[in-house]
Amino acid sequence: MLKLYGGAFSRAAIAKWYLEELEIPYEFVQLDMQAGEHHQPEFLQINPMGKVPAIVDEDFQLWESGAILLYLNEKYGKSSAFPEERAKIYQWVLFANSTLASGIFTESTREREVPRLLTPLNEIFQKQPFVLGDEFSVADVAVGSILAYIPMMLKLDLSAYPAVLEYINRISERPAFKKGIGGKP
C-alpha cells in the first residue's frame, strides 16, 4: 500500500487531497515534526532533505509535493498520451508550487504579487470552472490548494477576484478536498 508521510499542517495535505480524488488506498504516516521525526535516519532514507511530504509506493520513493502530484497523475490519474497536454499540467503544477506559492506566502512581496497573479487567474475562472477547462484535474489540486490556503491562513480580501473566490468555494466543497485539506471525513 502506498504510504504518504507528512506532518500536521504540512503540504502533505495537498498529496492527501489528490489521493482522495483518485480513490487510491494509502496509509498516512504522520510524523511529529516538533519532535524532529522528519530528521530521524529512517525518514532521511526516504527523503534526505528531511522534508514532507514524501511517498513510498512499493519500492519507489519520492518527495516534493509537485513531483508527487505529477507522479500520482501519471501512474493513477487520467494522464494524457499527448506530451503537449501533459506539459500543460506540469506548467500549472510548477506554477502553483513556485510562482503562486511564493507570491502569496512571501510577505515582503505579497502586496505586489497578489494582484499580478490573481487578476489573470480571475479571468481564467470567469471563462471556465477549472484550471484546464471544464474538467477537474491535478492542476486544480496544485493551484487550488494554494488558493484555498488564502482564506484559511491569510484572511486577505479577495473581493476584487470574485471568480477566484467562486473557484475556491467550488473546490473546497469537494469531498476529497474536505478529507485531504479540510481535515473532515
Side-chain angles (χ1 to χ4, degrees):
M1 177 181 289
L2 186 143
K3 287 186 179 183
L4 169 63
Y5 292 82
F9 309 108
S10 73
R11 291 178 66 92
I14 299 168
K16 196 174 186 184
W17 174 18
Y18 195 46
L19 285 164
E20 292 290 339
E21 290 284 352
L22 294 170
E23 299 178 337
I24 302 298
Y26 67 96
E27 175 188 349
F28 181 64
V29 180
Q30 185 165 327
L31 300 177
D32 185 342
M33 310 295 273
Q34 298 289 341
E37 286 184 351
H38 57 303
H39 294 299
Q40 296 304 310
E42 307 84 52
F43 183 71
L44 292 174
Q45 289 179 356
I46 297 167
N47 182 355
M49 302 301 160
K51 301 280 187 181
V52 295
I55 63 168
V56 175
D57 189 9
E58 299 177 15
D59 294 332
F60 181 68
Q61 300 175 345
L62 189 66
W63 41 275
E64 279 298 319
S65 62
I68 292 168
L69 290 178
L70 293 171
Y71 166 76
L72 293 172
N73 188 61
E74 290 284 328
K75 185 167 182 183
Y76 301 105
K78 294 189 222 173
S79 185
S80 172
F82 299 104
E84 296 84 359
E85 290 178 15
R86 288 195 319 272
K88 286 289 187 183
I89 289 172
Y90 303 158
Q91 167 188 276
W92 282 104
V93 170
L94 295 171
F95 164 79
N97 280 12
S98 59
T99 306
L100 186 60
S102 64
I104 300 295
F105 295 111
T106 304
E107 193 173 346
S108 62
T109 59
R110 183 180 303 136
E111 190 174 320
R112 179 186 73 235
E113 291 297 304
V114 165
R116 189 179 73 77
L117 296 166
L118 295 191
T119 298
L121 284 171
N122 197 67
E123 291 170 8
I124 289 168
F125 296 133
Q126 285 173 340
K127 297 174 191 164
Q128 60 197 41
F130 298 108
V131 171
L132 294 174
D134 291 329
E135 284 190 44
F136 181 88
S137 73
V138 68
D140 293 291
V141 174
V143 172
S145 62
I146 301 301
L147 293 176
Y149 282 130
I150 295 172
M152 285 185 217
M153 298 170 64
L154 300 175
K155 310 296 186 216
L156 298 179
D157 179 12
L158 298 180
S159 60
Y161 314 103
V164 169
L165 277 170
E166 288 174 24
Y167 174 77
I168 292 169
N169 290 335
R170 186 169 41 258
I171 62 165
S172 298
E173 289 303 313
R174 297 178 71 84
F177 177 94
K178 291 178 180 180
K179 288 180 183 176
I181 290 186
K184 299 173 187 168

